[in-house]
Amino acid sequence: MIDRFHKFSYFPGCSLATTAKENNRSLHIFFERHDITLNELDDWNCCGSSSAHSVDHDLADWLPTRNLSLAPIGSPLLVACPNCYHRLKLSHMMLANSETARQQYEAMWGRAFDPDLEIVTFFELISEMADKGAFKDHKTGLKGLKVAPYYGCMLSRPPAMRHEKNFYGLMEKLLTSLGAETLRWNSSSRCCGTMLTASRPDIASRTIENIISEAECAKAECIVTACAMCHMNLEIRSKLPGKTPIFHFSELLSLSLGIGSGMGWFRRHLIDPRPLLRSKRLIP
Amino acid sequence: MKTNEAVKNINTNSFTKMDKDYARFAVEVIRRSGVNIHRCWHCKACAGGCSFSKDMDYLPNQVIRLVQIGMKEEVLKSSAIWICVGCQTCSTQCPQSIDMAAVMDSLRQTAIKEGVKVAEPHILNFHKEVMNSIQRHGRTHKLEIMMRYKLSKKDWFADLDVGLKMLLKRKLDLMPSRVGHQAEIRRLFKLSRENNHD
Ligand code: SF4
Ligand code: SF4
């Protein structure tokens, strides 16, 4: 894929555009360093988040279609948020499988449906970059950091998407190659509770405190996730005394290139990761 | 497609009148969700893998069971259908490829449509505020969602510390990020209204 493309259309999604701006910045900077340009879709809209599919089937199917119609032909669409990826992919599959839906799409957005649009996750791109040796030069960038990789539900998917690629183990593989020590632990794919953090904080807190205690039991110094929603939930919903810092995967990748301190994004964490990074001499 | 096949394969000839009343609900769920719930063999892999099954009144497979045997009221009034966040952990583990999240989605929407008393009104309100925010801006505006949700819950002080911390760290933007072509967003909401009036 990256042999063919150095330009991607880019769908950040609401979380990365707002609450998790720092993750968005680190993603952009990281890819720029690797000569990959991300062109944000012009005037994109929310994919429906975790609510549309819960309460309104039509909006869950159709909100993402407007974004698909905004994607320029010929370059793949990179989706940063795992949940948005599912929503966009499912809508694309719906259109690919139904002539009636395609007609409706064309009437609605005034352009032909592109069955060949590649919708790519952040993980897929990183994995290809790793296979091409893109990270060889920053081998010791995360030396000594003990990390619990947390996937949450990002790799779970509906049966209709069963044949998509799976990237379980990618964080372990990459972080190890960058000098970090990754730990095996029990809760790496336990869902963080997404919207329950707002509507049933009691359930969310208990779930999240369990997840964090498991990481602490495995002697993790920090947890890394690739989802902005998980990142936020893990930071705000734990009252445990341990205060284990939480990173977005893109932040650690950037840090391994020496980018991070001075960018201001560690300061925006609710659990300050700087003392840990200083103690490992990863930032000044 | 798969839904229709699933419905067709149910042989109702041998059903008594009462059986038919019970079976009707299952057929309705199959049609709406596109999932043949009769494939579930109750191995409980879903319940074991679900982070939230402890918090549900019925385990995910029990929800399926209630549908199979036509206990409509019990299932529509259950808390389980609202507590499920649709994370797909169970669907990934299910040996029978049951798309549990799709079943739960369709049950929630049936509960709303039929106006039953919802077991988790706060969760429903939260979803409604998210949808309202998308309708207004084309994107979600988290601060507004939280304020309006709290207004509906009349519970301003719970979680105040978390909210303040997020504001201080500039994680909650004061102003929404908006879609320029609002008419296109209105078109999407119109489509949903029209379909739901059928
Ligand atoms: S995992 Fe699948 S087959 Fe097993 S009980 Fe759950 S829904 Fe049924
Ligand atoms: S989709 Fe629902 S039932 Fe299945 S694991 Fe997630 S929360 Fe539990």
Side-chain angles (χ1 to χ4, degrees):
Chain A
M1 182 168 56
I2 34 181
D3 280 344
R4 290 179 288 134
F5 300 106
H6 280 273
K7 272 204 179 104
F8 285 78
S9 316
Y10 174 59
F11 182 82
C14 298
S15 286
L16 273 99
T18 58
T19 30
K21 277 195 207 86
E22 64 272 30
N23 301 159
N24 203 15
R25 286 259 294 148
S26 56
L27 258 168
H28 271 281
I29 292 174
F30 174 77
F31 285 122
E32 263 161 37
R33 283 286 177 105
H34 287 282
D35 279 334
I36 291 173
T37 319
L38 306 182
N39 296 320
E40 190 166 313
L41 282 191
D42 193 26
D43 206 34
W44 57 270
N45 60 270
C46 172
C47 69
S49 184
S50 31
S51 292
H53 69 80
S54 295
V55 295
D56 193 322
H57 183 76
D58 295 294
L59 285 169
D61 281 350
W62 286 92
L63 275 167
T65 63
R66 179 171 173 274
N67 295 316
L68 297 175
S69 81
L70 297 172
I73 303 254
S75 53
L77 175 61
L78 181 75
V79 186
C81 163
N83 186 45
C84 302
Y85 167 73
H86 278 161
R87 302 320 320 172
L88 288 163
K89 189 83 189 172
L90 286 170
S91 287
H92 191 266
M93 287 168 84
M94 166 191 84
L95 293 167
N97 291 329
S98 152
E99 175 62 36
T100 342
R102 284 196 295 276
Q103 279 166 1
Q104 195 169 354
Y105 172 93
E106 279 154 27
M108 201 135 133
W109 308 125
R111 63 181 283 196
F113 169 67
D114 175 10
D116 301 319
L117 176 70
E118 275 188 75
I119 306 175
V120 181
T121 62
F122 165 62
F123 264 19
E124 185 166 1
L125 181 54
I126 300 269
S127 158
E128 258 197 54
M129 290 166 71
D131 291 346
K132 300 255 155 53
F135 306 117
K136 279 203 305 285
D137 302 336
H138 28 120
K139 260 192 227 128
T140 53
L142 298 175
K143 199 158 182 292
L145 201 60
K146 284 192 185 158
V147 190
Y150 176 63
Y151 295 89
C153 68
M154 65 174 287
L155 300 178
S156 303
R157 52 217 166 162
M161 287 174 70
R162 180 153 283 182
H163 299 295
E164 299 296 312
K165 292 174 206 148
N166 190 305
F167 295 97
Y168 194 85
L170 180 71
M171 291 203 272
E172 283 84 344
K173 178 172 133 189
L174 268 178
L175 294 170
T176 314
S177 76
L178 300 173
E181 186 187 333
T182 56
L183 303 160
R184 288 198 196 187
W185 61 305
N186 277 345
S187 291
S188 71
S189 17
R190 248 182 201 274
C191 168
C192 74
T194 76
M195 55 81 194
L196 292 176
T197 197
S199 48
R200 283 294 302 268
D202 54 326
I203 301 180
S205 298
R206 204 180 52 239
T207 310
I208 284 159
E209 287 180 356
N210 277 338
I211 294 171
I212 296 178
S213 324
E214 292 280 2
E216 287 173 353
C217 265
K219 305 259 182 307
E221 293 166 334
C222 59
I223 297 175
V224 60
T225 166
C227 168
M229 179 86 189
C230 298
H231 189 177
M232 183 187 79
N233 279 356
L234 261 53
E235 280 208 300
I236 65 173
R237 280 292 165 227
S238 165
K239 292 214 158 55
L240 296 174
K243 300 277 170 253
T244 305
I246 320 290
F247 291 102
H248 192 269
F249 192 38
S250 62
E251 290 179 306
L252 288 188
L253 291 176
S254 298
L255 184 65
S256 76
L257 284 168
I259 315 164
S261 71
M263 301 304 289
W265 57 60
F266 295 138
R267 222 180 324 147
R268 289 188 65 195
H269 282 220
L270 295 171
I271 302 170
D272 191 351
R274 287 171 298 179
L276 169 67
L277 297 177
R278 274 190 210 112
S279 77
K280 301 280 167 180
R281 297 179 198 286
L282 296 175
I283 58 168
Chain B
M1 268 175 40
K2 61 179 176 184
T3 329
N4 297 339
E5 275 164 37
V7 177
K8 238 189 299 165
N9 287 341
I10 300 166
N11 177 5
T12 47
N13 292 341
S14 59
F15 285 8
T16 63
K17 158 88 179 65
M18 196 174 81
D19 281 345
K20 278 188 184 148
D21 287 343
Y22 282 113
R24 196 173 303 130
F25 178 55
V27 171
E28 205 181 291
V29 173
I30 294 171
R31 192 173 46 76
R32 288 206 178 141
S33 65
V35 181
N36 183 357
I37 46 99
H38 292 300
R39 273 205 315 252
C40 168
W41 55 32
H42 300 282
C43 68
K44 278 193 178 176
C46 49
C50 175
S51 283
F52 316 105
S53 48
K54 301 186 277 311
D55 303 292
M56 298 173 171
D57 47 2
Y58 295 104
L59 298 173
N61 69 295
Q62 291 175 326
V63 169
I64 301 267
R65 190 72 190 131
L66 290 174
V67 178
Q68 287 172 334
I69 59 180
M71 296 184 67
K72 181 170 178 177
E73 200 180 329
E74 284 75 2
V75 83
L76 294 184
K77 284 187 176 164
S78 73
S79 74
I81 61 172
W82 294 98
I83 286 172
C84 166
V85 299
C87 68
Q88 303 283 6
T89 306
C90 55
S91 316
T92 308
Q93 294 168 351
C94 174
Q96 289 294 78
S97 288
I98 298 277
D99 188 341
M100 183 72 78
V103 175
M104 298 284 200
D105 284 346
S106 89
L107 291 171
R108 276 190 286 268
Q109 288 167 41
T110 308
I112 298 174
K113 231 180 212 155
E114 306 212 347
V116 303
K117 192 168 179 299
V118 165
E120 293 283 337
H122 295 319
I123 298 181
L124 173 59
N125 281 342
F126 180 76
H127 287 312
K128 281 189 181 154
E129 287 308 338
V130 172
M131 295 318 289
N132 288 339
S133 188
I134 300 176
Q135 184 164 17
R136 267 193 296 272
H137 313 297
R139 297 183 187 163
T140 56
H141 181 216
K142 294 218 171 58
L143 181 62
E144 177 195 62
I145 294 170
M146 288 317 292
M147 305 280 275
R148 295 182 60 102
Y149 167 67
K150 291 220 163 274
L151 197 66
S152 76
K153 211 174 156 192
K154 299 189 182 58
D155 171 16
W156 283 98
F157 296 105
D159 264 1
L160 200 61
D161 53 334
V162 172
L164 284 176
K165 260 193 255 160
M166 289 185 64
L167 274 173
L168 281 173
K169 296 279 179 181
R170 288 178 290 123
K171 287 192 176 285
L172 289 171
D173 293 329
L174 292 175
M175 297 308 288
S177 150
R178 294 192 89 218
V179 165
H181 293 89
Q182 286 295 320
E184 300 187 350
I185 302 299
R186 283 195 294 274
R187 205 180 298 163
L188 286 163
F189 278 82
K190 188 164 164 261
L191 171 100
S192 134
R193 269 195 307 275
E194 283 165 2
N195 285 355
N196 286 321
H197 282 298
D198 284 352

